[in-house]
Amino acid sequence: MSEKTLVTFSKMHGLGNDYIVIDESNKIIIPEEKKPEIVEEICRRGFSVGADGVIFVTPASSDIADIRFRIFNSDGSEAEMCGNGIRCFVKYVYENDIFHNDQMLVETLGGIKEVDLDVEGEEVRASTVDMGVPNFKTTDIPMISDKEEFLDSELIVKGKPVKITAVNVGNPHAVIFTDNIQDIKLNEIGPLIENHPAFPQKTNVHFVNIINRNEIEMITWERGAGFTFACGTGATSCVMAGFKLGILDEEVEVHLPGGELLIIVYEVDNEVRVFMEGESVLVFDGVMEIEI
């Protein structure tokens, strides 16, 4: 027998990539088996609050982390990691006194992420996320290929070759560099690559125009969500792909439909790591009635 319950939430966005944030740090609000279905309902624009996904604040399952980040796409599928989402998450956690520290170790399905918060007064103005070590091995992306790394290589998409660089930055990405980003029919080619048999867990898809070695513009078809105004892990993957191919430098400003992100590549202890800087915004707090 289902029953209706009131759920307190916050609507937030990072560069237009918008999320509903629900606090489950003290108790489970939405039962686990109901999460995919209810997330899909909540995210339906025009019929509910509407969002690209739902973020849950939960206790860390590891002694190493301070707090746990869970994110579900608008189609109800759970994702490993989200750059814009995690910036919204840490702002919410800090400003609601769930974990009041300007440095956080956040547990995600894509690994533990270290985040530094830029706090002014009691407001988080921006945050820098250590996105970790990018992984280009096809077996780890995962991608079905006879290549160890899929770098600027041809993937046949609906009978036509598309040059793709595949990388995992906590979740899978396909990066396509192009001089004609305005001509890309994202709603057509995005789903074809997202659901390509070469990607058994699907993939995020990005088209990138290089302005210069320190500046790019990109558009995104996000796995499980479709077009989004911004994608933090996507910006990270695009810069890292360009750096790996030798066409971008270590510090790159990324122009997305929703705004700008700064991506910085560092070498730390003989490992290449990527850091993302950007803002997040609280749109409003609210209460919604859901049936569980």
Side-chain angles (χ1 to χ4, degrees), residues 98-285:
I98 297 168
F99 185 75
H100 202 72
N101 196 310
D102 61 7
Q103 290 185 320
M104 295 185 194
L105 291 175
V106 181
E107 179 184 347
T108 79
L109 284 179
I112 293 176
K113 307 298 180 183
E114 184 176 341
V115 187
D116 290 320
L117 283 60
D118 178 7
V119 179
E120 188 174 303
E122 287 299 302
E123 182 183 357
V124 177
R125 304 302 298 269
S127 54
T128 301
V129 184
D130 181 349
M131 301 295 285
V133 180
N135 193 335
F136 287 90
K137 290 184 179 179
T138 53
T139 52
D140 295 334
I141 288 170
M143 182 181 186
I144 298 169
S145 171
D146 57 2
K147 297 177 182 292
E148 185 177 354
E149 295 181 338
F150 206 85
L151 305 176
D152 201 31
S153 299
E154 288 187 351
L155 182 72
I156 303 302
V157 180
K158 208 173 182 180
K160 295 181 180 179
V162 179
K163 282 197 169 183
I164 285 174
T165 297
V167 58
N168 188 300
V169 291
N171 52 1
H173 296 266
V175 179
I176 302 103
F177 292 97
T178 177
D179 295 328
N180 303 303
I181 199 169
Q182 294 81 9
D183 298 333
I184 299 299
K185 296 179 180 178
L186 190 63
N187 288 341
E188 294 179 16
I189 194 167
L192 294 175
I193 299 175
E194 176 196 3
N195 297 286
H196 196 284
F199 297 101
Q201 295 180 15
K202 302 186 180 183
T203 187
N204 299 283
V205 185
H206 316 284
F207 290 87
V208 184
N209 175 50
I210 297 178
I211 300 170
N212 57 59
R213 293 185 65 89
N214 300 102
E215 195 174 0
I216 63 173
E217 60 177 334
M218 60 174 281
I219 55 174
T220 290
W221 182 267
E222 190 168 327
R223 179 184 60 168
F227 168 79
T228 53
F229 284 98
C231 179
T233 55
T236 303
S237 69
C238 292
V239 171
M240 198 57 228
F243 182 79
K244 177 86 167 178
L245 295 172
I247 54 179
L248 291 176
D249 289 340
E250 292 89 347
E251 189 167 318
V252 179
E253 183 178 20
V254 182
H255 300 280
L256 308 107
E260 283 69 45
L261 285 173
L262 181 64
I263 307 296
I264 304 171
V265 181
Y266 287 101
E267 188 170 325
V268 181
D269 298 329
N270 295 319
E271 284 186 325
V272 173
R273 304 184 72 87
V274 190
F275 293 76
M276 174 192 64
E277 292 182 15
E279 299 178 345
S280 54
V281 176
L282 171 65
V283 182
F284 61 85
D285 296 316

Side-chain angles (χ1 to χ4, degrees), residues 73-103:
N73 297 315
S74 58
D75 67 355
S77 61
E78 187 169 9
E80 300 91 342
M81 174 48 191
C82 172
N84 290 318
I86 200 170
R87 295 200 318 278
C88 293
F89 173 88
V90 296
K91 178 180 175 70
Y92 180 94
V93 166
Y94 184 91
E95 293 181 357
N96 286 277
D97 290 323
I98 297 168
F99 185 75
H100 202 72
N101 196 310
D102 61 7
Q103 290 185 320

